[in-house]
Amino acid sequence: ACEHVESGLYGYNNTYVYADKIRILWHKTRIEMGVHIQVSGSACRILEELMPWKLFFDRIMSFDVWKVTRIDIAIDTYKRYFDIHMLKDKIKSGELVSKFKKSTFMEQLNISDGASESASLTFGSMASNMYIVFYDKLAERKNAGFDVDDKVNFWLRSELRFKSELAMELMKLIILNDYMIGDYVQQILYNYIDFKEPCNDSHKHRWVTCDWWLDFLGVVSKLSIAPKSQDSTIVRKRNYAEFYLSKLFAMVRITDSDFFDNLFRNGFKKIGKADLDIINAHFLATGHDIITSDQLKDIYDDIITDERYSYMANQKAKEIVKQIKAIGIGTEYETLV
């Protein structure tokens, strides 16, 4: 059931709460604050029962203005590729290449016997746009009194928390890939954290990545989601064409009226998936809907059809002018062509 509460968070004063976990916040008078939707980790399972993720995001993006402020993604591992202490030892030995400058290790000890009951390793801070934490999920669940299947003897969780600009960049990546995250999260993790095997090379970046780290990630390439500049790639390409090529294009158009039609047809055939991603990134940055490869083909067909109609209309106009000239009415109608 959905409950209405006349209070809220983050400056909002009204909240709808669904199943005690999904919150929709708004302000009664300050319309400019918009609507804030908060879905916790456990609420994700509830949301999945209500609708597919694709439908949820489609509805969010149906609004003229939308913004994602935070996305948390968890990777649960039940196979022991490594443990928290092993990662700590690699860092203390200087065998890590990372975009982070510091990490924090925390451990819970049993006072009676000094045994380690749980541990966590964090990168970044809670205030930064990227925050990564590794922790013993099995110990956390047991310490909290939850029943865990006896067959589960290892459970490590890796959490990546994206905020502000990085959350928007990740959202764009999810949209461009039809809401399938796939291996992208592991590639992003690999880009931020890379455990190395030491060797005699003085440049640590050239050291070989540990096999157990690659096995855990299951990927071989890194992915950066650093925010792009305000100008999209399409804008830069267009500005380049206008500044450097406009005179050349004009000269070619004067000497060959069919050149640009042929140029468009030939160029269109060369557009691949990476090019379509650039086009869609521009559409997202400018508030437009993204397009699929099938829609791209429809655009091509529409343009070609318009060109044909334009050509037919132009030929018809020339024919009419010739007929007018033939009967001696005058030549003022030549401006039609």
Side-chain angles (χ1 to χ4, degrees):
C2 193
E3 178 187 2
H4 177 218
V5 181
E6 291 190 351
S7 62
L9 304 168
Y10 319 121
Y12 297 94
N13 59 15
N14 276 267
T15 308
Y16 277 122
V17 182
Y18 182 83
D20 292 328
K21 294 182 182 295
I22 299 176
R23 288 177 169 77
I24 302 174
L25 303 101
W26 82 99
H27 199 283
K28 207 165 188 177
T29 57
R30 296 181 58 188
I31 307 299
E32 73 279 2
M33 289 181 66
V35 176
H36 182 97
I37 300 176
Q38 188 178 63
V39 182
S40 67
S42 56
C44 290
R45 306 292 81 80
I46 298 172
L47 186 61
E48 287 170 351
E49 294 176 1
L50 297 175
M51 67 182 74
W53 282 105
K54 186 178 190 307
L55 178 59
F56 173 73
F57 285 125
D58 281 344
R59 289 186 176 179
I60 294 297
M61 290 183 295
S62 66
F63 295 96
D64 293 334
V65 179
W66 57 272
K67 182 180 180 181
V68 177
T69 57
R70 175 172 167 174
I71 300 177
D72 294 358
I73 295 180
I75 304 172
D76 284 327
T77 308
Y78 301 95
K79 179 180 178 180
R80 188 185 291 271
Y81 295 99
F82 54 84
D83 58 33
I84 305 298
H85 292 275
M86 183 176 170
L87 299 184
K88 179 198 69 172
D89 291 342
K90 292 289 286 184
I91 295 172
K92 293 187 73 172
S93 299
E95 298 168 9
L96 170 65
V97 172
S98 176
K99 294 186 178 299
F100 297 104
K101 293 182 178 180
K102 295 181 180 180
S103 66
T104 302
F105 173 77
M106 297 184 67
E107 186 175 24
Q108 178 176 299
L109 301 175
N110 187 309
I111 294 178
S112 63
D113 60 7
S116 175
E117 293 188 342
S118 66
S120 66
L121 184 65
T122 60
F123 297 84
S125 70
M126 294 296 288
S128 59
N129 287 350
M130 170 62 84
Y131 178 79
I132 298 174
V133 56
F134 299 90
Y135 64 95
D136 189 336
K137 185 66 177 178
L138 180 60
E140 183 220 45
R141 299 297 282 180
K142 287 183 175 180
N143 292 338
F146 288 96
D147 292 329
V148 181
D149 193 320
D150 292 336
K151 295 179 180 178
V152 178
N153 51 36
F154 182 82
W155 184 359
L156 185 138
R157 173 164 289 185
S158 313
E159 288 187 3
L160 290 81
R161 300 172 187 174
F162 303 82
K163 294 173 64 177
S164 302
E165 295 91 347
L166 289 187
M168 284 296 290
E169 292 300 320
L170 179 63
M171 190 66 230
K172 291 175 184 178
L173 184 66
I174 293 172
I175 294 170
L176 288 173
N177 291 278
D178 199 24
Y179 308 99
M180 300 299 292
I181 296 177
D183 295 330
Y184 293 112
V185 175
Q186 286 92 329
Q187 289 178 316
I188 294 168
L189 180 56
Y190 188 14
N191 186 55
Y192 275 87
I193 299 174
D194 187 0
F195 288 100
K196 298 289 192 177
E197 293 289 358
C199 67
N200 294 327
D201 195 322
S202 59
H203 294 279
K204 192 187 298 185
H205 286 78
R206 291 201 290 257
W207 292 3
V208 176
T209 298
C210 295
D211 289 338
W212 51 265
W213 184 242
L214 290 176
D215 290 341
F216 161 70
L217 294 172
V219 296
V220 294
S221 60
K222 300 179 179 182
L223 177 64
S224 172
I225 59 166
K228 309 298 188 298
S229 61
Q230 287 297 100
D231 284 345
S232 69
T233 302
I234 292 293
V235 171
R236 291 197 297 270
K237 291 179 184 295
R238 187 176 62 204
N239 290 342
Y240 176 86
E242 289 178 354
F243 188 82
Y244 292 102
L245 303 177
S246 56
K247 183 172 72 173
L248 174 62
F249 285 167
M251 294 169 64
V252 173
R253 175 64 179 82
I254 292 171
T255 57
D256 185 353
S257 59
D258 296 327
F259 175 80
F260 287 104
D261 292 341
N262 296 328
L263 187 69
F264 169 77
R265 291 187 179 92
N266 293 333
F268 193 94
K269 295 174 184 177
K270 299 176 183 178
I271 295 178
K273 183 183 182 303
D275 304 308
L276 182 58
D277 287 347
I278 292 175
I279 292 171
N280 281 330
H282 174 76
F283 283 154
L284 285 171
T286 54
H288 294 82
D289 294 333
I290 63 173
I291 60 174
T292 64
S293 55
D294 289 337
Q295 290 172 317
L296 188 65
K297 293 175 183 176
D298 292 339
I299 292 173
Y300 174 81
D301 292 338
D302 290 342
I303 292 174
I304 295 300
T305 300
D306 289 343
E307 288 177 353
R308 286 173 181 165
Y309 280 129
S310 177
Y311 174 79
M312 292 169 61
N314 193 41
Q315 293 300 108
K316 186 66 175 177
K318 289 181 179 179
E319 183 179 335
I320 292 173
V321 170
K322 288 180 181 178
Q323 293 174 358
I324 291 173
K325 286 182 178 180
I327 59 177
I329 294 179
T331 59
E332 62 272 23
Y333 296 100
E334 290 184 10
T335 56
L336 287 171
V337 294

